[in-house]
Amino acid sequence: MRARILLTLFLALISYPAHAFTNDTGYFDGLEFVADTTIPGPDVNTMSLCYVTRDLKILGLTLTSDITGYALADDGCVSEPLRPFTEEQMITAQSLELIATDIPARARNDLTRNVQNYGLWAAIGLALIAVIIRRIKSLLGYDLRGPLRAKASSRILTTMCYAGSAAGVMASNDIAIVAQAARRLTRRNYQPQDIIRIADHLDPGLDAQDYIDFGRGLRDREKDIMMQGVLYVGMANGRMLPGQYAFATELAHGLGMPGEDFRRVLKNAMIDLDRFPPTPSTS
């Protein structure tokens, strides 16, 4: 829906004529001061060189301002131009030293103005293209989810190892379950040797601060995945042992997870058990 709204707005702004807008929305002619000249005006004062601009405004806010030419004005480019000033006239005036020669003879946008004018539209266009690409990939069945952050993945893997070893020493079947679940939940390629290396260095004396530290700096979704992985591992062998239940409960407290969220994550873990039943180790 958001992409459709952006696309509609984008097409409307670049295609509708000025008369289709309100008094403060649409395309308007404007003036910008460029430099003073020595060209005499209708009174005793000299005239000012101005850019003539074509401005796109939305509710009075200028979004783009394109230079379309030069003009001369006798009021410092404040109101209306006195007369247009062509490229040929500009060259002639510069040759007569009536206008500074470092001013381009042709009035046009420079790089900075183009970036200011069209950077927003380019960003909107790229965002729309990204949305379209994601939608096409989704329709073709590609998994659009990338791997979790390395910090979050490492913490999740560690807590799953604690859950697997809460009933005692991790057996080969527990190692396989943790590795399979960790790869699925974090979308990182963990191997059994990674599980063994972590399991060999688990601290058996965790305190309340340790459980808080497991979730420190993690996003809510990453905490949900952590809890979901712990519950999955705990229930993978058919029932959750007391040590696994105690670890899961303390972890939920440390993560600050309310009971409603805990029940939701528990439901997701049970759905995972049905959709992705643990594969016994063949070793």
Side-chain angles (χ1 to χ4, degrees), residues 55-103:
D55 303 336
L56 171 61
K57 296 184 178 181
I58 300 296
L59 300 178
L61 176 65
T62 301
L63 296 185
T64 64
S65 180
D66 289 303
I67 297 173
T68 61
Y70 284 121
L72 294 177
D74 59 354
D75 61 354
C77 307
V78 174
S79 56
E80 295 293 331
L82 188 64
R83 67 172 184 265
F85 204 62
T86 65
E87 182 179 348
E88 292 76 13
Q89 291 173 320
M90 182 72 172
I91 294 173
T92 301
Q94 288 179 322
S95 67
L96 297 174
E97 299 183 353
L98 299 176
I99 298 177
T101 57
D102 58 346
I103 300 174

Side-chain angles (χ1 to χ4, degrees), residues 18-28 57-61:
H19 65 265
F21 295 110
T22 61
N23 291 334
D24 55 357
T25 300
Y27 286 99
F28 302 89
K57 296 184 178 181
I58 300 296
L59 300 178
L61 176 65

Side-chain angles (χ1 to χ4, degrees), residues 2 10 54 80 113 132 149 179 200 208 229 231 245 259:
R2 182 180 303 173
F10 178 73
R54 185 67 167 167
E80 295 293 331
R113 183 179 288 261
I132 292 171
R149 296 184 301 160
D200 288 340
L231 293 171
Y245 176 81

Side-chain angles (χ1 to χ4, degrees), residues 161-181:
C161 289
Y162 272 108
S165 65
V169 179
M170 292 183 69
S172 60
N173 190 55
D174 297 319
I175 294 173
I177 290 172
V178 170
Q180 293 164 10

Side-chain angles (χ1 to χ4, degrees), residues 103-266:
I103 300 174
R106 177 180 297 179
R108 58 185 176 183
N109 293 351
D110 58 12
L111 177 61
T112 301
R113 183 179 288 261
N114 281 328
V115 170
Q116 292 173 346
N117 281 346
Y118 303 109
L120 173 63
W121 303 118
I124 293 176
L126 291 174
L128 290 173
I129 292 173
V131 170
I132 292 171
I133 292 175
R134 285 181 60 86
R135 182 59 178 167
I136 292 174
K137 286 185 176 181
S138 177
L139 293 175
L140 293 177
Y142 290 99
D143 186 358
L144 302 179
R145 300 172 302 169
L148 291 184
R149 296 184 301 160
K151 177 177 73 172
S153 299
S154 177
R155 300 259 192 91
I156 290 170
L157 180 62
T158 300
T159 55
M160 292 172 68
C161 289
Y162 272 108
S165 65
V169 179
M170 292 183 69
S172 60
N173 190 55
D174 297 319
I175 294 173
I177 290 172
V178 170
Q180 293 164 10
R183 285 195 295 267
R184 175 172 53 82
L185 292 174
T186 67
R187 295 177 294 281
R188 290 183 177 272
N189 189 29
Y190 291 117
Q191 300 299 326
Q193 55 266 30
D194 299 319
I195 314 301
I196 296 173
R197 184 169 57 253
I198 295 175
D200 288 340
H201 297 86
L202 294 179
D203 182 3
L206 296 177
D207 57 23
Q209 185 60 47
D210 292 321
Y211 289 103
I212 294 174
D213 290 340
F214 281 135
R216 188 180 302 278
L218 300 189
R219 300 161 184 161
D220 289 342
R221 177 172 173 271
E222 293 166 343
K223 293 178 181 179
D224 286 352
I225 293 175
M226 174 182 287
M227 199 72 240
Q228 184 174 333
V230 167
L231 293 171
Y232 178 93
V233 172
M235 297 184 297
N237 292 317
R239 65 188 183 91
M240 185 173 287
L241 299 176
Q244 294 171 322
Y245 176 81
F247 177 79
T249 302
E250 292 296 330
L251 179 61
H253 290 158
L255 297 179
M257 182 172 290
E260 180 179 351
D261 288 345
F262 182 85
R263 290 187 291 272
R264 172 177 52 81
V265 174
L266 175 60

